[in-house]
Amino acid sequence: RAMMRAAHLAGCAINLTRTTGCHALSYDLSYRFKVAHGHAVALTLPVMLHFIAGVTDHDVNDPRGKDYVRLQIGRLCDLLGFATVDEACYAISERLKRAGLATRLTQIGVATPEERARVAAAANVERLGNNPRRLDAARALALLDAIA
């Protein structure tokens, strides 16, 4: 009962805030590779967090600008108890490992560059468009390659 309520509240939050790059890449991982949706999102979170933190004036997708995005990333790290983005990314990966979950795409069966390209091509375009830093299929593929 509590899990159903939590899932409902999470859905309500997502409906209001919209999801971004991690979700955009997670759907195909869940569908084709049978990875739980939350795990698929978490698998891409460290590399996506690092990517977003590097936002520039030329690729910012948030109308409030790169300084706002960087401020929010800093606030997120602070809320999580980390001094830097690198610390946060490392901690997320370590928590996945401690939970017995994969942290690399090869561990879930995404073994070839062609499979990673297919995952990138299948990314949800609407979710990619919500990402604070512009993220197209080519950049998505580069992020996936980084966690192969």
Side-chain angles (χ1 to χ4, degrees):
R1 190 174 196 153
M3 183 63 79
M4 286 174 46
R5 179 168 163 68
H8 170 74
L9 292 174
C12 289
I14 287 170
N15 185 48
L16 292 173
T17 60
R18 303 182 310 168
T19 59
T20 60
C22 291
H23 278 266
L25 297 172
S26 70
Y27 299 116
D28 196 52
L29 295 175
S30 293
Y31 177 73
R32 281 196 311 122
F33 296 93
K34 308 303 180 216
V35 176
H37 181 63
H39 180 199
V41 172
L43 185 64
T44 61
L45 183 57
V47 70
M48 190 67 68
L49 182 60
H50 195 269
F51 171 74
I52 294 169
V55 67
T56 69
D57 285 327
H58 302 290
D59 61 9
V60 66
N61 204 34
D62 189 304
R64 294 165 287 195
K66 78 164 170 49
D67 292 334
Y68 176 82
V69 172
R70 287 183 179 175
L71 176 67
Q72 296 309 311
I73 295 294
R75 289 180 68 204
L76 176 64
C77 289
D78 188 51
L79 286 169
L80 294 173
F82 303 109
T84 67
V85 170
D86 288 338
E87 284 180 23
C89 294
Y90 177 79
I92 293 165
S93 292
E94 287 302 305
R95 287 182 182 156
L96 287 171
K97 286 178 191 173
R98 283 196 307 269
L101 297 172
T103 59
R104 312 298 297 177
L105 292 174
T106 53
Q107 295 170 313
I108 62 166
V110 186
T112 67
E114 293 78 21
E115 288 172 331
R116 291 191 299 278
R118 187 171 168 193
V119 171
N124 181 291
V125 177
E126 180 182 350
R127 302 296 182 236
L128 288 178
N130 295 336
N131 209 58
R133 184 175 180 190
R134 200 167 302 118
L135 183 60
D136 58 18
R139 282 185 169 176
L141 178 56
L143 295 177
L144 293 171
D145 286 343
I147 57 171

